[in-house]
Amino acid sequence: MPSEWLEGAQVLAREYGLSETEALDRVSSQTARMEFRETVAANLGDTFAGLRYDPVSGVQTVLTTEPESAAAEITSLAQDAGIEVAVEEATYSYDELRSLAEKAKQGGLGIAATDVVSAQIDDNSNSVVAYVPEDRLQALSTQRVHEAVTLEAYVDDQGVEEVCTGKRSCGAPLRGGIGLWRTTSTNYVCSLGYTATSGDGARWAITAGHCRTVANQNFGHGDQYIGPVRDVVNNPTSGPHGDVDVARIRMDSSYWRAWPAAGYLLRINSSNVVQNDPNRIVHTIDYRSSIEIADVYCLSALSPGWGDSCGSVTDEFDQDGLVVIGNYDACPGDSGGAWVWNNGSGDYWGIGVHEGGRNGCPQKDTGGSNDSQGWSRFSAIPDINDYWDATSSVTIRINE
């Protein structure tokens, strides 16, 4: 049984009052639930409306605009996956909610675009949450908006960008969780999340957008240069993609390119020693709705040690649209690291790219473990893919 599962079970038991047996059951069945979510979202197509998971009962609910016609297929898929499922009728499909969120940002749903800081899909409640300036919420609440839209206050300074030093030496291949230096080989500031390949054959190293401070900045690891940053987004406060903080570094160095374009992840043993043979990323999630409350994810980045890397989702999206791990406090230098899930067979699913969290670091502040306090947040891979699809002339996808 993966060590991450045992750590995740401890998190869930603490968060939801589950017994040790119940918590371990929830964690050990997570891979089946995640595969089920991806399949359901793909199979239902434009009738898919979202997903909701209850960690206490262990029931996975599927929302659809056509429950009568979809129930049999959903039930069959759930039986094959060995999970408990419920089917619930929804007014709006996920695609309709996505369209409503975009209209809200553009001022098309009763609130001026200048008053909408961000708009996020809440598929749990089959609605859209529009975040408006805190000092404008009361006045705007009297305005008539679309029935699927609720207003909440946007509070500044929720996240702290984490840039510092950390693990510095790990040979090829490039693997998520290693440190990245910026400009000079002594200036370690962030973590590598993933590698990616574009349709024109270019290879990329993926980290957080806020790690770059000037245009065309060069990054590397150890003694080896990787390349310059060629594209950056950092939670823009206007326009689309406010839920994304990501940068791609062109892999110019033949030292790194000599390895196959596969997804690799740093592997650490129980003595906190980095191993030469990396872990593999075998899948990256395709659907944002695949992320659910109480899912256990683990961070591969500079600060986490073996057995100190996992937390559970407490918010599927915050006011900026990022996923919140409410019981894990990452440290400066972890920005850009990979949030992943061990699927139980020794391989990993890619979930997101670390952005930031509480100001501080348990290891340095109190000597405590990262999963004992604070919170962290990350950009989900489907949101990153949406950004790349909208801004690049070629398809870019994280390596699997």
Side-chain angles (χ1 to χ4, degrees), residues 40 53 58 84 92 109 113 214 235 250 260-261 276-277 300 348 369:
V40 164
Y53 176 63
E84 292 187 62
Y92 302 98
L109 296 181
V214 297
N235 304 130
R250 194 176 65 201
N276 286 328
D277 53 325
S300 183
Y348 290 79
S369 64

Side-chain angles (χ1 to χ4, degrees), residues 235-296:
N235 304 130
T237 56
S238 61
H241 312 300
D243 49 10
V244 177
D245 178 357
V246 73
R248 51 189 169 98
I249 302 162
R250 194 176 65 201
M251 202 183 299
D252 282 354
S253 169
S254 60
Y255 174 82
W256 304 111
R257 288 203 318 270
W259 280 77
Y264 296 108
L265 194 68
L266 191 69
R267 187 166 75 86
I268 302 174
N269 69 12
S270 58
S271 299
N272 280 326
V273 177
V274 171
Q275 303 297 287
N276 286 328
D277 53 325
N279 290 317
R280 282 294 310 274
I281 298 290
V282 297
H283 178 64
T284 58
I285 60 170
D286 297 314
Y287 300 95
R288 186 61 161 77
S289 55
S290 293
I291 297 171
E292 290 279 352
I293 296 293
D295 279 358
V296 172

